[in-house]
Amino acid sequence: FFTPNSQFYRVDTDLVVPQVSPESWTLRIDGMVRSPFEITFAELLRMPLTEADVTLVCVSNQVGGPYAGNARWLGAPLATLLRRAAVKAGADQVLSSSTDGMTISTPLSTILDGRNALVAVGMNGQPLPVVHGFPARLVVPGLYGYVSATKWLTRLTVTTFASQQAYWTRRGYAARAPVKTESRIDVPKPLAQVPAGRVPVAGVAWAPHRGISAVEVSVDN
């Protein structure tokens, strides 16, 4: 049920993957907060860390497509960091920035509602791979990647949707993007010819932050 790190999908805006030294990396939290602060990688690792199994999905994933993966993430709870910064009333967005200049907007309410939103430093029992955002990235369950999964994270700005827009929202994408319930059939493989008689059907379904209670299969449209 876990996607190996080497097979986990990637959607990058960089031709060359950023190489960030953990010794010089910092995460700044500012904007509509009473106590802005900056934290080093060593300080982040000293925080109480949480493990969470979270499925990530790209909004451009087609039916049966490859842009979905499930991993066990290790990281610092994002809500804890925001509470330390003391968010001011009226804020509704966290604008996250990558070292490469990419920006992603996340609804503040989805970070503070109890789900396992993380500043992740580990993936499937290993340090976070460089191609997946080392030293640290965002993981917010239940949201498509373009509003939740900033890699090579370096800044969190608490703000409002009305005052600041992220990279994709400036291009007409929805600002709030909950993952839709989806499923995929892996067996039989697409367009496979199967013998007459009983045919096993297997696959996976996902509804991050909501969960799957049952799956129904139709063979006659």
Side-chain angles (χ1 to χ4, degrees):
F1 290 102
F2 294 97
T3 309
N5 293 355
S6 61
Q7 298 176 30
F8 206 97
Y9 80 94
R10 292 170 50 205
V11 179
D12 295 332
T13 56
D14 298 285
L15 293 176
V16 178
V17 174
Q19 305 283 324
V20 182
S21 168
E23 285 78 18
S24 60
W25 177 90
T26 60
L27 173 64
R28 177 161 182 79
I29 300 180
D30 57 15
M32 295 176 64
V33 297
R34 288 189 292 274
S35 304
F37 68 93
E38 199 165 81
I39 188 171
T40 66
F41 190 63
E43 290 169 334
L44 184 68
L45 294 184
R46 286 197 293 269
M47 290 183 61
L49 302 181
T50 299
E51 275 193 322
D53 300 340
V54 180
T55 299
L56 297 187
V57 190
C58 180
V59 71
S60 60
N61 192 44
Q62 297 180 350
V63 175
Y67 297 122
N70 188 63
R72 178 160 291 175
W73 305 92
L74 174 71
L78 181 53
T80 301
L81 292 165
L82 293 183
R83 291 190 178 102
R84 172 178 166 184
V87 175
K88 293 181 179 179
D92 61 7
Q93 176 191 205
V94 174
L95 187 74
S96 53
S97 302
S98 169
T99 54
D100 64 357
M102 183 67 177
T103 56
I104 281 178
S105 60
T106 306
L108 178 63
S109 59
T110 63
I111 297 171
L112 300 178
D113 67 1
R115 69 185 72 190
N116 283 316
L118 301 175
V119 175
V121 297
M123 183 178 182
N124 288 328
Q126 300 175 8
L128 189 65
V130 171
V131 295
H132 289 293
F134 181 84
R137 67 172 293 163
L138 276 193
V139 175
V140 183
L143 303 177
Y144 285 114
Y146 81 93
V147 295
S148 70
T150 313
K151 293 187 283 190
W152 311 291
L153 178 69
T154 189
R155 186 177 181 183
L156 297 168
T157 300
V158 180
T159 180
T160 66
F161 285 107
S163 61
Q164 288 184 270
Q165 289 187 320
Y167 179 89
W168 286 114
T169 46
R170 290 198 303 269
R171 287 156 175 80
Y173 280 57
R176 304 170 187 269
V179 173
K180 297 180 184 296
T181 302
E182 296 179 78
S183 63
R184 185 182 72 206
I185 294 175
D186 295 315
V187 179
K189 292 199 174 294
L191 305 180
Q193 292 188 349
V194 297
R198 285 183 172 270
V199 176
V201 177
V204 63
W206 57 90
H209 188 57
R210 298 187 305 281
I212 297 291
S213 61
V215 177
E216 296 179 340
V217 179
S218 172
V219 295
D220 59 358
N221 295 316

